[in-house]
Structures are given as C-alpha cells and as structure tokens.
C-alpha cells in the first residue's frame, strides 16, 4: 500500500505542476496577449531577432508548446512567414530549457509565499490585468510547491520493487526511453514538467544518468507533437513538422553518443539532477546553432512537402474587372458589361434552383440560392466601384460612353433586386412552408413552372437588349408584361377554385382542410407575386433604350422619334442608375 499511495501522491504533484504551468501561461496570454502578439509581429525582420523573440515569449508563457501554438496560428493565417516562425521555435526551445534551469534550483521555500501573494492579488484586484498578474504568481507558486513535493515523494520510493525494474529497462533501451518520454510529454503537453520529473528521478537515483538523458531526448521530441496533431490544414502543420524534424535530427545525432555526453557533462557538473537540465539546455542550444542559418531552406522544403490545397474559385470574385483597363473608358465599360453577364448567369441558376425548392421541397437548393445571392451582391458592389473608378480615372468623353455606363449600372441594380426577391422573399417563404409541411398543388406548380419558363425567356431577351440596345427587342420585352398580368389573374382564379373545393370537401368530412388550403393558397399567391416582381425588374432593361433620344437618320423613320443630341465631344453627365419605376410592378 505504501508504494501505491506514493504513486498516487506522485501523480498529484505532477498534476499540480501541470496546472501551475497552465495558470502561468493563461495569465500571460489573457493579461498581456495583445502586447505579446504585437511584439512578436514587430520582431520578425531577421532570423536572429525572431530567435530571441521566441526565447522571450516562452520565458513569459512558461511553455514552448504555447509559443508553438501561437506561432502556428500566425503562419496558418498568413501573418508570419514560415522561415521566421521556425527561428521563433528554435528560440522557444532554448527558452523552455532556460526556464527548466531556473525551476530546477532549490527555491521551494518561495512557493507557498508566492501562492499566497497571488491569491491576495487575484482576490483584491479590480482590473483584469492585475487579476491575471495574480494568476501568474499563483501558478509560479504552485509549480515550485509541486517540484518540492516531487523530490520529497521520490526519495522514499527510489527502492520500490516496481519502479526499479521499469527504470532499468528504460536505461537498457534508450530508444524505448525516448518513445516513452515522448508519449508522456505529448499527453502532458509540457516538456518542462517531464524534464523536471526526469531530473527528480535522476537526483534520487531512480534512473541512471544515461537513461535520464534518453528520457530528456524523448521529452524534447514529444513537445513538438501537440501542435502537429492539432493542425487541421497543411499551413498549420508546416511549423510543427519543421520543429519535429529539427528535434528528431538532434535525437538521432545524440542518441548513439549518450554515454560519451554523460561523461562530459559529469565532468562539468557531477550532480545527476543538474546534469539532466544542463543536457536539456545544451541540446537545444546546439540545435539552434546548427539550424538557425538554414531555416529558409527548411521552410521551402516544408512548403513542397505540405503544399496548400487548390483553392476553389470564388464565384463572387470579379473576373473581368481589370484595373489596368481604367485608362480606357471603352475597354473598362466592356469589362463591366462582361461581369454583368456573369451576374445574369447566377440569376438564371437561382431561378432554376428556386423552382426545385417549390417542386421537391429541396432545402439544399434553398441554400444554393442564398449562396448565389451573396455572390450576386458581391459582384454588384464590385461593378459599381469599378464604374466609379472609370469616372475617376478618365472622364467618359462622349454621350455614348456615358449612356453605356448608365445602362450597366441600371442592369446591375435590377439584377441585385431580382436576386434579393428570389432569396429573401420567394425561397424564404417556401422554406417556411416546408417546415410547416405545406406544399403547392399540381395545378399551382404547373402555373409556377410556366411563369418560370417565361421569365427565363425574358431574361435572355433582356440580355440581348443590354448587349445590342435594339429598340425592337426592348419593345418585345416590355410587351411581355401583359402575359404576366394574365398569369396573375389566372393564379387568383385558380386559388379561389381550390379554396372552394376545399370548403366543399370539409362540409362532407370534418377536418382542417380549409385552413390548410388557405395557407397553401397564400404560398401560391406570394410566389406568383414574387415572380411578377422579378419580371418587372427584367423589363426595366428596356426602358433606357426606349426612352433614349436617337439621332436623325435611316433608323429615325422606324417609329423612333428623331431627337437631336449634343456633339460627340460634349461631356457626359455623371453615372447614375437609369431606373424607371413601374406602378403595377408587372
């Protein structure tokens, strides 16, 4: 029972050490995290400054793992390049070794006063930063108390029958010792705790010096694993993998020469506990000297091994809005027109998906409509900014270019309105109906499908008017509004007929069929109204063409009023949307 109780006490001291380290790290991050991030961002100009920055940050955070996670988040987000981040990690490794040196000294008497002072500061402080200082002081006190408890507990159990064979087996097989220590360090997320624990084992003669050095190598290797396993992307895994490769190279170089290294360190410091922490510091200093000059090559190698995945094209990102074309108003307007056609393609896809939502109650199609509407809004904003830049870079020097800019702006705004109607009114209402288990009847679906087909035809005609500016096509587009008034009248008559049928059926059998029919009729009439509003905005493509004065000539006799226009070199009016409001929204 004494051995079992000693192991339980030992586990408690290890847990206290880990919790103290956690409190120091979280206190520094909460109280001084922004300062540390700014400091880290300002000191990445050279690999040497990055090295010392990593050393200092680790001394404050009490954990190279915390520094590694912070640097990994910077590299994965693109804030920090990979080469200086590798230098930061080399500095962090040396920083944690220096911290282990400080904590290994016999300063256990300072632990309880520090814990008490931290509690008082934490309880009495009013500011958040002061409370975090108290948390840091508590953590330091707990760490020192845990280390004293480890030494006190390990003393009586150095001759425990169970511990001796395990320690002997690890000492006889350095590779096994490295693996075991690496696994323990990964589980604890703290190489400081494991190295100090190994130092306590060595100081109480539980592990011989050579086996202790093998365990230190494993602790160094295991400290690189938490950030590596926590990375979810290739960019997030590059830095931890680089740190792992550096440590692994050091382990392979040092492992065959552990007896020689042990004798050399014993000549400098014969105390086993000090020998362990001295080796930990020397190991990381040598790795820093060997690899600090080659972090650039290592970064390029890691980028080849873990390349960024191909980025899916953003449909809302402009393709044709070339800033270099702003010097030529004609080319810039052509680019804006091509981008407007991309918006029209998205609107056509939204129309088809909206019908699928109504026909099959397909929620994935509803999500697709919402995503496409965001892309339409994104493209519309980009085109409007681009048109504004055209006016800034080069004035539209004749009326034709000014009118073309107005046509594009009007088309963009109308397409944005169409997208909003489809996503925020028609599909949103359809989704609510799906949740309430309401659906359109077959007759209603036939009417909606017919309207959708006519709207697609009107969209193609509107694009022809947009590209060709033919008055004849513009008149055809406006004339199609009559058909949509007929659709609305037919829909109202069909809705009344279905309501009467539902009321007649309810008189024969009790139930809520009339109420359900009213709800479904409401969905149908809302859908018809939204589709008519969509067509109204498409018909607005024709108004700038029909209301625009045309020059005298051959085409003036074709029913188009002949109105004189200013000279070609007259300055055009500033761009403004040429929208014609239609009272009946047909």
């Amino acid at each position: 029972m004494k051995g079992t109780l000693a192991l339980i006490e030992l586990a408690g001291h290890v847990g206290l050490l880990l919790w103290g380290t956690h409190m120091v790290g979280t206190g520094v991050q909460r109280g001084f995290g922004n300062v540390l991030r700014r400091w880290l961002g300002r000191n990445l100009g050279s690999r040497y400054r990055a090295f010392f920055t990593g050393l200092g940050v680790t001394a404050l955070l009490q954990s190279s793992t915390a520094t590694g996670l912070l640097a990994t988040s910077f590299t994965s987000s693109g804030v920090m390049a990979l080469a200086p981040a590798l230098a930061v990690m080399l500095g962090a490794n040396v920083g944690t070794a220096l911290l282990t040196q400080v904590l290994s000294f016999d300063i256990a008497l300072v632990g309880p006063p520090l814990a008490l002072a931290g509690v008082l500061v934490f309880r009495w402080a009013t500011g958040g930063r002061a409370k975090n200082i108290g948390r840091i002081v508590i953590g330091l006190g707990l760490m020192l108390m845990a280390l004293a408890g480890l030494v006190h507990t390990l003393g009586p159990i150095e001759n425990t029958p169970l511990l001796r064979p395990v320690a002997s087996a690890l000492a006889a097989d350095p590779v096994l010792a490295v693996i075991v220590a690496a696994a323990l360090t990964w589980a604890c997320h703290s190489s400081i705790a494991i190295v100090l624990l190994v130092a306590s084992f060595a100081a109480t003669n539980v592990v011989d010096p050579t086996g202790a050095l093998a365990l230190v190598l494993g602790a160094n290797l295991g400290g690189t694993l938490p950030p590596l396993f926590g990375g979810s992307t290739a960019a997030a895994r590059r830095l931890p993998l680089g740190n792992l490769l550096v440590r692994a190279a050091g382990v392979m170089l040092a492992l065959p020469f552990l007896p020689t290294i042990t004798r050399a360190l014993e000549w400098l410091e014969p105390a086993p506990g000090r020998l362990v922490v001295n080796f930990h510091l020397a190991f990381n200093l040598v790795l820093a000297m060997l690899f600090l000059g080659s972090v650039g090559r290592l970064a390029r190698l890691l980028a080849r091994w873990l390349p960024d995945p191909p980025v899916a094209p953003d449909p809302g990102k402009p393709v044709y809005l070339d800033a270099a074309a702003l010097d030529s108003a004609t080319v810039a307007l052509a680019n804006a027109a091509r981008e407007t056609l991309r918006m029209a393609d998205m609107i056509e896809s939204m129309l088809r998906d909206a019908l699928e939502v109504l026909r099959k109650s397909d929620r994935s199609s509803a999500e697709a409509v919402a995503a496409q509407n965001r892309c339409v809004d994104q493209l519309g904003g980009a085109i409007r900014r681009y048109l504004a830049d055209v006016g800034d870079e080069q004035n539209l020097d004749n009326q034709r270019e000014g009118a073309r800019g107005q046509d594009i702006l009007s088309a963009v705004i109308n397409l944005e309105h169409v997208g909003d109607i489809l996503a925020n009114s028609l599909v949103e209402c359809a989704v609510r109906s799906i949740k309430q288990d309401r659906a359109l009847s077959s007759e209603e679906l036939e009417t909606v499908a017919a309207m959708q087909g006519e709207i697609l035809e009107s969209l193609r005609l509107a694009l022809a008017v947009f590209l060709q500016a033919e008055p004849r096509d513009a008149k055809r587009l406006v004339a199609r509004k009559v058909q949509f008034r007929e659709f609305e009248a037919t829909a109202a008559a069909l809705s009344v007929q279905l309501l009467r049928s539902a009321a007649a059926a309810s008189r024969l059998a009790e139930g809520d069929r009339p109420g359900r029919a009213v709800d479904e009729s409401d969905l149908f009439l809302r859908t018809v109204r939204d589709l008519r509003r969509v067509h109204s905005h498409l018909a607005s493509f024709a108004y700038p063409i029909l209301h625009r004065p045309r020059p005298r000539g051959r085409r003036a006799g074709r029913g188009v009023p002949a109105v004189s226009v200013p000279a070609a070199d007259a300055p055009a009016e500033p761009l403004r949307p040429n929208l014609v409001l239609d009272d009946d929204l047909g």
Side-chain angles (χ1 to χ4, degrees), residues 227-514:
L228 181 63
F229 292 154
S232 58
T233 63
R237 287 192 291 267
R238 287 176 194 150
L239 180 59
L241 179 60
N243 193 28
L244 174 63
L245 292 176
V246 170
R247 292 270 183 102
V251 169
M252 288 187 290
L253 289 175
L255 201 57
F257 304 101
L258 282 183
T260 304
I261 296 173
T262 302
R263 289 191 294 271
L265 291 175
E266 286 177 341
W267 181 74
L268 294 174
E269 178 60 63
R274 298 299 309 165
L275 183 145
V276 169
V277 294
N278 289 341
F279 172 71
H280 183 44
L281 176 60
F283 176 75
N284 286 284
L285 282 173
V286 171
L287 288 183
M289 289 186 291
L290 289 177
F291 289 96
L292 190 58
S294 58
V295 290
R297 291 190 293 273
L298 180 58
R300 291 190 292 272
L301 182 65
L302 292 169
R304 286 198 299 269
W305 285 355
L306 293 174
D308 291 322
V311 180
D314 182 7
K317 184 178 181 180
V319 176
Y320 303 111
L321 303 183
D322 185 7
L326 292 173
D327 293 335
S328 173
T330 303
V331 178
L333 291 174
N335 291 341
R338 295 177 70 187
E339 209 66 62
T340 306
L341 294 179
R342 288 189 64 219
M343 288 182 65
D345 290 339
M346 294 180 186
I347 293 296
E348 181 176 354
S349 179
M350 291 174 67
L351 281 166
R352 299 183 187 280
D353 288 337
L355 183 62
E356 291 300 311
V357 176
L358 294 167
R359 179 181 292 166
K360 301 179 181 179
S361 300
D362 187 0
R363 295 194 181 186
S364 62
S365 296
E367 295 173 358
V369 170
Q372 288 170 330
N373 186 47
R374 290 191 292 269
C375 294
V376 167
D377 291 339
Q378 184 178 345
L379 271 181
I383 295 172
R384 291 197 302 273
R385 290 190 296 270
Y386 189 75
L387 291 174
D389 291 338
V390 173
D392 290 340
E393 295 291 334
Q394 177 182 350
N395 291 329
L396 303 180
D397 56 1
N398 59 52
Q399 190 180 31
R400 181 178 179 181
E401 291 177 349
R404 185 55 176 163
Q406 291 181 1
D407 290 349
I408 295 172
L409 187 56
S410 175
V412 167
I413 294 176
N414 280 301
L415 289 174
E416 286 179 321
H417 287 177
V418 170
D420 291 338
I421 293 169
L422 292 174
N424 302 328
S425 181
L426 191 151
V427 171
E428 188 173 332
C429 181
V431 170
R432 287 199 303 267
S433 301
I434 292 171
K435 293 179 180 178
Q436 298 170 5
D437 196 23
R438 298 185 340 230
L440 298 179
S441 65
S442 58
E443 297 91 340
E444 292 170 336
L445 279 174
E446 288 179 5
T447 302
V448 171
M451 293 184 71
Q452 184 224 35
E454 293 297 328
I455 288 176
L456 290 175
E457 185 65 29
S458 294
L459 176 61
R460 299 185 187 100
L461 186 56
L463 294 180
V465 172
F466 174 71
L467 293 174
Q468 303 295 330
E470 279 288 341
R472 188 183 336 181
D473 293 336
K475 289 180 180 180
R476 286 175 53 206
L477 180 59
V478 173
R480 293 175 64 85
K481 296 174 64 174
V482 177
Q483 187 172 2
F484 278 81
R485 293 192 187 97
E486 295 174 356
F487 272 127
E488 192 170 25
T490 302
L494 177 60
S495 178
V496 171
Q497 178 184 350
L498 293 175
L499 285 174
R500 288 176 176 173
S501 300
S506 67
R507 287 193 291 268
L508 298 176
E510 295 183 357
D512 62 345
R513 187 171 178 183

Side-chain angles (χ1 to χ4, degrees), residues 8-210:
I8 294 174
E9 188 176 358
L10 180 65
H13 290 310
V14 172
L16 188 62
L17 178 62
L18 293 174
W19 184 249
T21 305
H22 172 75
M23 287 192 70
V24 173
T26 55
V28 173
Q29 291 184 25
R30 292 177 184 177
F32 307 93
N34 292 331
V35 177
L36 284 178
R37 289 183 179 90
R38 288 195 297 268
W39 185 37
L40 193 61
R42 285 196 302 264
N43 291 279
L44 299 177
S46 68
R47 65 190 68 176
Y48 299 103
R49 289 175 62 186
F51 171 82
F52 287 108
T53 299
L55 192 153
V57 171
T58 303
L60 292 173
L61 294 178
Q62 305 282 302
S63 173
S64 61
T65 301
T67 305
L69 292 172
L70 185 63
T72 299
S73 67
F74 282 2
T75 55
S76 60
S77 61
V79 175
M80 183 190 304
L82 185 57
L86 289 169
V88 167
M89 285 310 304
L90 291 174
N93 297 337
V94 175
T96 192
L98 289 173
L99 187 62
T100 307
Q101 285 276 344
V102 174
L103 295 176
S104 66
F105 287 104
D106 188 11
I107 52 176
L109 293 177
V110 184
L114 279 177
L116 178 60
V119 170
L120 294 177
V121 172
F122 186 82
R123 292 288 298 273
W124 292 345
T126 56
R129 179 164 291 185
K131 283 185 174 293
N132 284 308
I133 291 175
R135 182 181 282 108
I136 294 169
V137 176
I138 293 173
L140 289 173
L142 293 180
M143 291 174 67
L144 295 176
M145 293 168 62
L147 291 173
L150 282 173
V151 175
H152 181 267
T153 304
L154 288 172
I157 67 170
E158 62 181 58
N159 296 317
T160 301
L162 179 62
L163 190 59
R164 284 290 176 180
V166 173
S168 300
L170 293 177
D173 192 346
V175 176
L176 179 62
V178 169
I179 296 173
V180 170
L184 288 175
T185 306
W186 169 70
C188 295
H189 281 52
S190 176
S191 59
I192 293 178
I194 299 301
V195 172
L196 291 175
L197 181 63
V198 172
S200 300
F201 281 152
T204 54
N205 297 318
V206 174
V207 181
D208 71 295
T210 303

Side-chain angles (χ1 to χ4, degrees), residues 542-556:
Y543 296 137
I545 310 303
L546 294 178
H547 296 171
R548 181 174 302 156
R550 300 188 65 85
R552 298 179 182 274
R554 277 190 313 132
R555 304 182 64 87

